[in-house]
Amino acid sequence: MAATMVSSAGGLLAMLNESHPLLKQHALLNLNNYVDQFWPEISTSVTIIESLYEDEEFDQHQRQLAALLVSKVFYYLEEFNDSLSYALGAGSLFDVSEDSDYVHTLLAKAIDEYASLKTKASECSADVESIDPRLEAIVERMLDKCITDGKYQQAMGIAIECRRLDKLEEAISRSDNVHGTLSYCIGVSHSFINRREYRCEVLRLLVNVYQKLPSPDYLSICQCLMFLDEPEGVASILEKLLRSENKDDALLAFQIAFDLVENEHQAFLLNVRDRLPTPKSQPLESANPRSTEPVSGQTEDSTASEDVPMDEGASASTTSTPQIDQSEETYSERLTKIKGILSGETSIQLTLQFLYSHNKSDLLILKAIKQSVEMRNSVCHSATIYSNAIMHAGTTVDTFLRENLDWLSRATNWAKFSATAGLGVIHRGHLQQGRSLMAPYLPQGGAGGGGSPYSEGGALYALGLIHANHGEGIKQFLRDSLRSTNVEVIQHGACLGLGLAALGTADEDIYDDIKSVLYTDSAVAGEAAGIGMGLLMVGTASEKASEMLTYAHETQHEKIIRGLALGIALTVYGREEEADTLIEQMTRDQDPIIRYGGMYALALAYGGTANNKAIRQLLHFAVSDVSDDVRRTAVLALGFVMYSEPEQTPRIVSLLSESYNPHVRYGAALAVGISCAGTGLSEAISLLEPLTSDVVDFVRQGALIAMAMVMVQMNEASDSRVGTFRRQLEKIILDKHEDTMSKMGAILASGILDAGGRNVTIRLLSKTKHDKITAVVGLAVFSQFWYWYPLIYFISLSFSATAFIGLNYDLKVPKFDFISNAKPSLFEYPKPTIVPTATSAVKLPTAVLSTSAKATKARAKKEAEQKANTEKAAAAAAGEPSSAVANTGKGKSSEKDGDSMQVDNPPEKKAEPEPSFELVTNPARVVPSQEKYIKFMEDSRYVPVKSAPSGFVLLRDLKPTEPEVLSLTDAPSSTNASPPAAAAPAPAAGGQQAMAVDDEPQPPQPFEYTS
Amino acid sequence: MDPKLTEVSQYFERFKAACVREDIDTSANLLSQLKVLLTSFRSLPPLFEVTPNAVQELTIARDIYEHAVLLSVKMGDQDAFERDFFQLKPYYTDARKRLPRSPQEHMILGLNLLRLLVQNRIAEFHTELELLPAESLEDPCIKHAVELEQSFMEGAYNRVLTAKQTVPNQSYDYFMDLLAKTVRDEIAGCSEKAYDFLSINDARQMLLFSSDNELLKYINEEHPEWEIKDGSVIFQKAKETAPCKEIPSLQLINQTLSYARELERIV
């Protein structure tokens, strides 16, 4: 190599000064070859080379060569800007395909430069300085090279960054795996594009590309359309699929509907539903009855399936005249189903059934809490009630309340309010019977049923919780109740309830109703009104915000200001930079409460974006604001901004968690709790652990709650610290000398840890990585419990069942097995606590015996079946490279079926090694960390339409002629369950004895046909 | 023999003849053509490819550049000298293993040292010196330059001027003449610092001029800022320049204070 030949470039440099152009050329050429070695020497003469480049008389090629040389020298001097500008001068001599550090660095620089210019150009469209065409040429050359080399992901990344949608489209359409590329692109556009407008542009492009494909991926298209808020597009796709001859297309349509529902965008879903065209033969009938109460519809659906709450459209379709042709009939049948799904009723119903049948909550924990809590301590008393509600959220199991009526009756005033509201959490999603369940507590329309205003207000709030985000049927009732009362407690409940039920619908009439409550200027009602208005207007960024802000300045009541501040924050949910003016206005306000609202506005507007600007702003407020409240909220808000990247949060707040200011520490704890909720992230737990034994009581409280949020659904097998934490909670609760604040935290934490019968987790992102609006809003309002305990119930909005629920064409749950490729103990339910005294254990043996006797019988039969299954499974698993096939032979033990009967069986004592996988039966509990282990069997009767490890999945039946075995038909519903309430004075006296669930779960009830 | 090489050597002969004839224009022209021709030889630096004629080519190229250096001295063109010398240098340093030592080498190196001395580029002078092997220092040409530099540094300017008589090679004359001027500049610089004013008579002696006219001419050309008044040369103006740099104390204080404030604020 020549590098060893010469010791200096001096000769060549001297040659540059020669007068003969050929000599200069010779020198340039050689210098260019040796620049890597001699750049320090050349750098002293760089002016000479520059002048060569600028010499007009010089040959074009020579000048480019000179530019390239200068560029390289500047590159070595780390003057990248100069280097880039000369590289541009080098024209075609700058070879993008060259594999050298110089080229790589400069390309990166060029692309950055180009991207920032483009971004600037698009952001301030006014005075756009023209972009250097040479720069553009380089970037285009790079893009073309990536595309021709098959590096589509790079090309797409660069194209998105540089706002070159034309190139993006080219990259996608030329890639060999268009579907893969598209889904990659969607992921990228969600995680890396900060500006909402631009993201919309990208998504619109993607939708176009999708639609041009021969076999469009409707699932993804609809997700994009949802983000773009284009219900027409979704509706037309759904209609096309529904009208198709093929049954699979209908299944796909159902699947799309379920996926859309998961994102909880109520207004959008309703729009889609209303845009679906009605069957031709019956132009109006099927659309109209929707607006009437669906509660009454329940009795009429004698014809259709049991699980699905059909609206009258169903009955209409069956009674329709025979001359309707066949296709219209199938269409209308499918339409009914899809409307059921889109309204959320189907999924809510199924979730409810799942939670009810799989409920594994541990009443002994509650009992222990109840016994250790002092009678007089009302905070802990109501904390226990909250805890119970959270533990049984959505399961409809209110055994604990019914068993402890006396104890419960100690709740007075606001405690009574929240005790009643707690029923709403327990019965969450019980759309049909919600109202009849709450009937005994509801205001009795002037007759003065004797109920206290607190329980009446609580009942209205409960109705809101039951119908959260699906309040079509209950809205009217809540409005009437709101209008017909002057009692501020009832107004309080009604405002919250209305806000919840009409979440994000931006209904003007409801808004006006709530506004009139606000203008009464009553502190109690006004606070709820502020929040209610925010809930109503979630994510609309409407003009109403400024109206609310004005009133917040006028009123004297801090409570109202606080409610309004949060309400304003809610209106800008997810609007990102659109909200900047409002945020600016709020964060600069004199009033700390408004600034505090500004923090929430930042949190919600930039929720889940991990936007650097928002994080910077929040960190600034977290350390510089004078008000502790604002600082606490600023830190807490970080949790919301970061929830899409939970791994980052502990790192960001770790310093703040060691702050001298307890409010900041509290905020840090909750920030971690919010953003890492349900992840069980190890760093998060390590950060929270020291905080749980902080010197300040409310920091302990926050840390305990946050820890529970992080650890929800984890068991000791996956992280031993879960067990330690459970014992710590127990200790705090039992400790007589513990502060009330931390005790309350511990009680709530034990509720959250076992939330929803141990079958739910806190999830802020749907599986398609969209924000779950209800969940985020729920947590945001929940974090207000610092000021107002009844808002704790909002946490139930963020619960989502961790279940795999497979559905067939009839939207019923067929029996269907699949594999979880991990040790069963990793994801099983935590062990129930052992009964402390012998007395209550006396009766248990008989109960256990009866079930186990049945179970042993069943087992003999099952064992054979199971063996066959495992062999099948092993065969299936053998196809997968990753699976551990070693001990499949004895994978017969510890069957954990969905069948709740066998859970009470004593575990087999044999020291058998644990199998490396288990068979699970639809519908099954699949915790988030388990999802990656889920596999479907190849030779199963049912094939999922989309291979998702959890959530609602439509199954394609490969043997449609054979009879299906259904599971999960035990709806916890019974129309005659309306309580004999009138006589009961105590708030929860109206026991809902329909499901007498004891410690041991009931055998499945047959569904009642009302005919 | 390679036709190109023949062509080069023919040109070279004509170039040498022109040099001997002292025909500067012709030789400069020929030299330029020769250099262009040399670029096509791949055995020359920096490529040093091994070709069958490598040794001849290298030798002839070195000869050409040596002549070019001498020609530039003749022309009194210092830039050309520097250029040609640098192009020649790789033949001395990097081609050592391929070529026998050139008889002219030390003479040319000495010339270069002298040039650096004349241009008052003392740092480079020493750099060059350090790069020379020990035995080269014994060579009279090099020794001469080294001694000159020592006298120059000591301020023994008369020794520098008398050294002109002992030059090892007549091509040194050109630089020795220039050196006198360098010495004068040096003295002028020192007097400027040392005295507020000097009488014209003293100044003339100091600056080694034979007549007052020469002195006045020199002052006009080189140091217009000097003032001539009442029979003396006043250096006042030259001293007024260059105020000392101010320390931005206020800015520094502000910065430090803001750091302290920020530190307090953090967490």
Side-chain angles (χ1 to χ4, degrees):
Chain A
M1 182 63 203
T4 54
M5 295 294 188
V6 251
S7 55
S8 152
L12 290 167
L13 286 172
M15 213 182 258
L16 282 176
N17 289 325
E18 294 283 356
S19 50
H20 203 291
L22 272 177
L23 288 175
K24 291 182 184 179
Q25 182 189 350
H26 178 73
L28 277 179
L29 214 56
N30 280 308
L31 281 174
N32 192 35
N33 289 333
Y34 293 104
V35 67
D36 298 333
Q37 194 188 353
F38 292 122
W39 61 268
E41 258 181 290
I42 303 175
S43 67
T44 53
S45 319
V46 88
T47 41
I48 300 170
I49 311 174
E50 277 175 334
S51 64
L52 282 182
Y53 164 61
E54 279 149 22
D55 186 353
E56 298 286 336
E57 289 163 19
F58 218 40
D59 176 48
Q60 183 60 30
H61 181 258
Q62 307 304 311
R63 293 177 55 191
Q64 291 189 346
L65 192 60
L68 183 64
L69 184 58
V70 179
S71 164
K72 283 184 179 174
V73 172
F74 276 128
Y75 159 71
Y76 282 112
L77 293 173
E78 305 200 345
E79 296 283 350
F80 295 127
N81 284 327
D82 292 332
S83 178
L84 178 61
S85 67
Y86 278 102
L88 294 179
S92 56
L93 283 184
F94 181 73
D95 181 9
V96 287
S97 56
E98 193 183 310
D99 185 34
S100 69
D101 287 347
Y102 162 70
V103 172
H104 292 319
T105 316
L106 275 204
L107 270 182
K109 177 81 191 159
I111 291 168
D112 280 355
E113 185 79 20
Y114 183 64
S116 76
L117 281 175
K118 278 291 234 182
T119 317
K120 218 182 278 167
S122 64
E123 271 169 25
C124 47
S125 48
D127 52 323
V128 185
E129 47 178 310
S130 59
I131 290 167
D132 190 342
R134 297 175 304 176
L135 185 62
E136 193 148 26
I138 281 203
V139 174
E140 278 181 16
R141 256 192 292 162
M142 183 65 201
L143 281 169
D144 290 340
K145 189 187 143 245
C146 283
I147 293 174
T148 42
D149 289 1
K151 295 176 183 159
Y152 301 108
Q153 298 197 342
Q154 274 102 318
M156 278 157 44
I158 300 171
I160 290 179
E161 191 90 340
C162 299
R163 310 203 164 211
R164 287 296 299 266
L165 295 183
D166 50 334
K167 288 285 169 190
L168 178 64
E169 186 170 353
E170 188 188 336
I172 295 173
S173 49
R174 284 179 57 181
S175 72
D176 28 55
N177 174 13
V178 181
H179 283 287
T181 332
L182 276 172
S183 57
Y184 171 79
C185 195
I186 291 180
V188 167
S189 61
H190 280 296
S191 42
F192 296 114
I193 301 183
N194 279 335
R195 284 185 69 84
R196 189 183 152 97
E197 286 165 43
Y198 179 50
R199 196 185 309 150
C200 287
E201 270 175 55
V202 173
L203 288 179
R204 207 159 284 139
L205 171 91
L206 292 181
V207 171
N208 283 337
V209 178
Y210 264 129
Q211 280 164 346
K212 280 186 212 146
L213 295 181
S215 58
D217 179 355
Y218 290 118
L219 281 172
S220 313
I221 297 183
C222 290
Q223 292 293 335
C224 291
L225 287 173
M226 191 198 70
F227 185 83
L228 295 171
D229 201 12
E230 285 179 6
E232 305 87 359
V234 179
S236 67
I237 289 174
L238 286 180
E239 190 202 348
K240 197 172 122 202
L241 289 175
L242 289 177
R243 284 196 188 277
S244 155
E245 292 297 312
N246 196 338
K247 217 171 170 184
D248 291 346
D249 283 344
L251 284 178
L252 187 60
F254 295 154
Q255 183 69 59
I256 290 173
F258 273 119
D259 284 358
L260 292 177
V261 166
E262 207 208 338
N263 294 313
E264 300 178 340
H265 199 322
Q266 182 176 212
F268 178 78
L269 293 173
L270 293 184
N271 255 326
V272 172
R273 200 192 60 191
D274 295 342
R275 271 165 223 266
L276 281 176
T278 51
K280 287 169 200 141
S281 54
Q282 22 178 323
L284 287 171
E285 265 178 298
S286 60
N288 277 345
R290 283 297 318 139
S291 54
T292 64
E293 281 182 292
V295 180
S296 63
Q298 219 266 340
T299 48
E300 285 165 52
D301 59 359
S302 48
T303 48
S305 79
E306 312 86 339
D307 321 0
V308 193
M310 295 289 179
D311 47 283
E312 281 95 330
S315 41
S317 73
T318 44
T319 54
S320 56
T321 44
Q323 67 258 32
I324 303 165
D325 64 71
Q326 192 62 37
S327 67
E328 279 304 309
E329 198 165 352
T330 37
Y331 173 66
S332 69
E333 177 210 336
R334 289 168 178 176
L335 189 67
T336 323
K337 282 183 194 162
I338 206 154
K339 283 189 170 177
I341 301 172
L342 284 176
S343 67
E345 286 165 23
T346 313
S347 56
I348 289 176
Q349 181 83 12
L350 287 166
T351 313
L352 192 68
Q353 284 170 11
F354 171 79
L355 289 179
Y356 170 64
S357 60
H358 284 65
N359 175 28
K360 284 284 177 303
S361 62
D362 196 339
L363 283 175
L364 284 174
I365 295 181
L366 273 175
K367 207 178 259 174
I369 295 174
K370 192 195 110 200
Q371 277 160 0
S372 59
V373 164
E374 273 177 75
M375 290 298 176
R376 294 185 193 289
N377 190 334
S378 68
V379 173
C380 290
H381 183 265
S382 36
T384 317
I385 297 173
Y386 293 128
S387 186
N388 168 53
I390 292 169
M391 230 184 244
H392 293 101
T395 61
T396 73
V397 177
D398 50 9
T399 330
F400 179 77
L401 294 181
R402 270 185 291 109
E403 281 176 357
N404 299 293
L405 286 179
D406 282 349
W407 173 81
L408 197 60
S409 65
R410 277 197 205 92
T412 51
N413 298 336
W414 282 110
K416 196 185 240 174
F417 176 90
S418 40
T420 322
L423 283 174
V425 175
I426 295 178
H427 292 280
R428 173 157 192 246
H430 214 161
L431 299 187
Q432 279 74 47
Q433 275 108 59
R435 197 161 148 202
S436 48
L437 281 167
M438 299 312 296
Y441 318 112
L442 288 172
Q444 303 294 324
S452 87
Y454 290 101
S455 66
E456 287 176 7
L460 291 173
Y461 180 25
L463 276 182
L465 288 166
I466 291 175
H467 292 268
N469 208 10
H470 298 281
E472 286 227 305
I474 204 75
K475 265 192 319 207
Q476 194 55 40
F477 173 76
L478 286 169
R479 276 181 70 187
D480 293 342
S481 320
L482 181 64
R483 266 188 252 145
S484 63
T485 181
N486 288 321
V487 188
E488 52 179 22
V489 179
I490 299 180
Q491 281 175 339
H492 182 95
C495 284
L496 287 179
L498 259 181
L500 279 166
L503 190 80
T505 52
D507 188 319
E508 289 290 329
D509 299 333
I510 302 181
Y511 180 81
D512 290 337
D513 283 345
I514 301 184
K515 197 165 73 179
S516 61
V517 175
L518 178 71
Y519 286 153
T520 58
D521 207 36
S522 130
V524 172
E527 182 185 30
I531 297 175
M533 286 156 98
L535 290 172
L536 195 62
M537 293 292 170
V538 160
T540 55
S542 72
E543 294 301 306
K544 304 282 192 293
S546 53
E547 193 180 303
M548 290 159 77
L549 196 56
T550 323
Y551 190 75
H553 281 122
E554 282 168 14
T555 183
Q556 297 293 313
H557 296 288
E558 277 194 9
K559 270 174 165 288
I560 299 183
I561 303 176
R562 191 172 297 122
L564 281 171
L566 183 66
I568 298 167
L570 287 170
T571 60
V572 293
Y573 170 88
R575 305 307 287 209
E576 300 183 26
E577 61 276 347
E578 274 174 66
D580 281 351
T581 13
L582 185 73
I583 292 173
E584 183 75 11
Q585 210 179 343
M586 292 179 82
T587 50
R588 294 197 167 198
D589 204 282
Q590 289 285 311
D591 188 344
I593 304 179
I594 306 246
R595 287 207 300 279
Y596 153 95
M599 297 302 111
Y600 270 106
L602 262 174
L604 291 169
Y606 289 96
T609 58
N611 185 303
N612 277 333
K613 196 183 81 190
I615 295 175
R616 200 162 39 238
Q617 249 178 312
L618 286 173
L619 284 174
H620 174 75
F621 280 107
V623 295
S624 64
D625 202 279
V626 286
S627 156
D628 277 341
D629 288 343
V630 179
R631 296 178 70 170
R632 185 184 65 235
T633 322
V635 185
L636 189 150
L638 281 173
F640 284 103
V641 177
M642 301 290 298
Y643 66 73
S644 59
E645 290 169 28
E647 303 82 16
Q648 302 288 330
T649 319
R651 200 173 47 83
I652 286 194
V653 299
S654 64
L655 267 182
L656 293 167
S657 76
E658 289 159 22
S659 164
Y660 71 91
N661 184 329
H663 289 268
V664 173
R665 292 204 297 275
Y666 176 91
L670 273 196
V672 172
I674 289 164
S675 66
C676 305
T679 58
L681 210 64
S682 175
E683 297 91 59
I685 298 176
S686 319
L687 186 134
L688 289 172
E689 239 171 0
L691 289 176
T692 57
S693 43
D694 200 273
V695 283
V696 180
D697 52 357
F698 66 78
V699 178
R700 287 202 295 278
Q701 181 193 56
L704 290 172
I705 291 174
M707 186 78 111
M709 287 164 77
V710 175
M711 285 184 171
V712 65
Q713 276 211 327
M714 284 176 76
N715 63 11
E716 271 197 86
S718 42
D719 194 328
S720 61
R721 285 177 290 188
V722 179
T724 327
F725 181 60
R726 278 184 186 277
R727 283 186 289 281
Q728 187 187 4
L729 289 180
E730 204 177 331
K731 201 178 130 263
I732 293 175
I733 292 168
L734 292 176
D735 189 348
K736 286 267 185 295
H737 304 290
E738 190 64 47
D739 289 299
T740 310
M741 286 288 260
S742 51
K743 213 171 216 180
M744 171 191 167
I747 296 172
L748 284 179
S750 13
I752 296 170
L753 212 50
D754 290 334
R758 294 182 170 166
N759 281 314
V760 300
T761 187
I762 300 173
R763 223 197 299 236
L764 298 179
L765 284 177
S766 68
K767 277 183 278 299
T768 45
K769 302 288 176 217
H770 289 273
D771 306 335
K772 293 178 76 164
I773 181 163
T774 331
V776 177
V777 168
L779 270 192
V781 184
F782 162 74
S783 60
Q784 293 282 302
F785 75 88
W786 175 275
Y787 299 102
W788 192 231
Y789 288 153
L791 296 179
I792 286 173
Y793 288 137
F794 270 82
I795 199 178
S796 69
L797 300 193
S798 63
F799 291 155
S800 58
T802 51
F804 175 92
I805 300 178
L807 298 171
N808 62 10
Y809 175 71
D810 298 322
L811 302 183
K812 281 183 242 172
V813 184
K815 209 159 158 42
F816 161 68
D817 286 338
F818 54 97
I819 305 170
S820 161
N821 230 332
K823 286 184 181 162
S825 70
L826 263 182
F827 303 114
E828 70 189 1
Y829 292 102
K831 301 240 167 10
T833 41
I834 303 138
V835 186
T837 50
T839 47
S840 58
V842 174
K843 289 211 164 164
L844 274 177
T846 52
V848 171
L849 276 178
S850 71
T851 50
S852 56
K854 258 190 268 171
T856 37
K857 248 188 268 164
R859 172 166 308 183
K861 217 166 38 170
K862 246 187 191 156
E863 206 128 345
E865 223 178 87
Q866 194 88 10
K867 236 176 207 155
N869 269 344
T870 37
E871 268 154 26
K872 256 191 261 167
E880 313 290 339
S882 62
S883 62
V885 201
N887 51 357
T888 44
K890 36 189 160 182
K892 56 161 184 161
S893 72
S894 95
E895 39 194 359
K896 277 191 58 71
D897 282 353
D899 192 347
S900 51
M901 293 296 260
Q902 291 172 13
V903 177
D904 280 0
N905 282 333
E908 284 174 299
K909 293 269 154 55
K910 286 175 228 159
E912 235 175 315
E914 203 182 357
S916 62
F917 68 93
E918 63 179 324
L919 275 178
V920 277
T921 308
N922 180 33
R925 174 188 194 250
V926 176
V927 300
S929 49
Q930 192 179 1
E931 283 174 8
K932 52 179 177 284
Y933 299 108
I934 296 297
K935 293 243 162 57
F936 299 107
M937 285 186 279
E938 278 166 12
D939 52 353
S940 169
R941 173 172 170 182
Y942 297 99
V943 179
V945 169
K946 106 180 178 182
S947 76
S950 70
F952 294 100
V953 176
L954 267 293
L955 302 171
R956 190 179 300 138
D957 192 351
L958 296 182
K959 300 169 194 158
T961 45
E962 291 174 25
E964 291 182 286
V965 188
L966 300 179
S967 53
L968 199 68
T969 47
D970 48 345
S973 60
S974 40
T975 30
N976 58 357
S978 54
Q992 287 70 41
Q993 75 274 55
M995 332 127 243
V997 182
D998 292 324
D999 289 350
E1000 171 199 338
Q1002 257 192 338
Q1005 284 179 338
F1007 187 86
E1008 296 190 38
Y1009 289 86
T1010 46
S1011 48
Chain B
M1 206 173 179
D2 189 43
K4 261 201 212 154
L5 192 57
T6 333
E7 195 190 350
V8 170
S9 38
Q10 279 167 3
Y11 269 100
F12 185 41
E13 289 308 321
R14 283 164 61 192
F15 167 64
K16 274 199 278 193
C19 281
V20 173
R21 272 185 281 121
E22 307 259 319
D23 185 348
I24 305 285
D25 286 342
T26 322
S27 42
N29 251 335
L30 283 169
L31 177 64
S32 170
Q33 284 173 27
L34 273 172
K35 283 181 180 170
V36 174
L37 283 174
L38 284 180
T39 57
S40 59
F41 289 149
R42 302 190 61 78
S43 60
L44 302 188
L47 296 172
F48 282 126
E49 272 176 25
V50 180
T51 55
N53 295 324
V55 177
Q56 283 107 311
E57 284 169 8
L58 280 169
T59 320
I60 199 161
R62 189 179 65 186
D63 285 350
I64 289 170
Y65 280 115
E66 280 175 349
H67 275 87
V69 169
L70 294 177
L71 178 67
S72 67
V73 174
K74 257 181 214 156
M75 297 192 312
D77 183 344
Q78 292 188 34
D79 286 343
F81 178 93
E82 186 175 351
R83 258 192 338 254
D84 292 329
F85 176 77
F86 272 120
Q87 291 178 53
L88 173 61
K89 216 179 154 197
Y91 295 91
Y92 291 156
T93 52
D94 302 324
R96 178 132 296 162
K97 293 187 202 115
R98 298 155 207 270
L99 283 182
R101 189 180 278 270
S102 155
Q104 307 249 51
E105 183 176 335
H106 283 126
M107 197 263 286
I108 291 196
L109 288 175
L111 265 181
N112 184 47
L113 288 175
L114 206 55
R115 172 184 69 93
L116 291 172
L117 203 55
V118 166
Q119 293 172 342
N120 215 356
R121 285 151 75 174
I122 304 299
E124 283 167 73
F125 176 91
H126 283 282
T127 316
E128 288 293 330
L129 209 55
E130 291 303 318
L131 289 173
L132 290 177
E135 74 266 14
S136 302
L137 294 179
E138 298 302 317
D139 189 88
C141 292
I142 309 275
K143 214 171 180 179
H144 177 71
V146 173
E147 279 168 6
L148 269 182
E149 193 264 350
Q150 277 166 359
S151 324
F152 193 62
M153 286 296 105
E154 284 166 19
Y157 295 132
N158 46 352
R159 240 196 287 157
V160 175
L161 295 179
T162 50
K164 201 181 168 186
Q165 276 81 51
T166 61
V167 285
N169 190 304
Q170 22 118 28
S171 50
Y172 279 45
D173 286 343
Y174 167 68
F175 284 114
M176 291 309 290
D177 289 339
L178 289 176
L179 193 57
K181 188 176 176 303
T182 311
V183 166
R184 188 171 293 138
D185 286 342
E186 198 68 7
I187 296 171
C190 291
S191 353
E192 201 177 62
K193 291 269 165 4
Y195 305 102
D196 289 338
F197 63 92
L198 272 177
S199 72
I200 290 195
N201 210 19
D202 290 342
R204 184 179 46 105
Q205 276 188 2
M206 192 80 82
L207 294 173
L208 309 164
F209 283 113
S210 44
S211 72
D212 287 357
N213 269 346
E214 276 178 293
L215 171 68
L216 294 179
K217 200 175 150 218
Y218 172 78
I219 292 176
N220 270 337
E221 279 172 10
E222 302 286 324
H223 296 281
E225 74 273 15
W226 293 357
E227 212 178 344
I228 301 168
K229 217 162 77 182
D230 307 333
S232 27
V233 183
I234 302 171
F235 304 116
Q236 201 56 44
K237 267 193 196 163
K239 286 187 178 173
E240 279 168 8
T241 52
C244 66
K245 271 187 195 161
E246 211 179 311
I247 300 168
S249 45
L250 208 63
Q251 193 194 338
L252 282 177
I253 292 170
N254 274 334
Q255 222 162 43
T256 319
L257 279 178
S258 74
Y259 286 155
R261 224 186 355 259
E262 293 286 325
L263 271 177
E264 254 174 36
R265 242 195 219 163
I266 293 172
V267 189

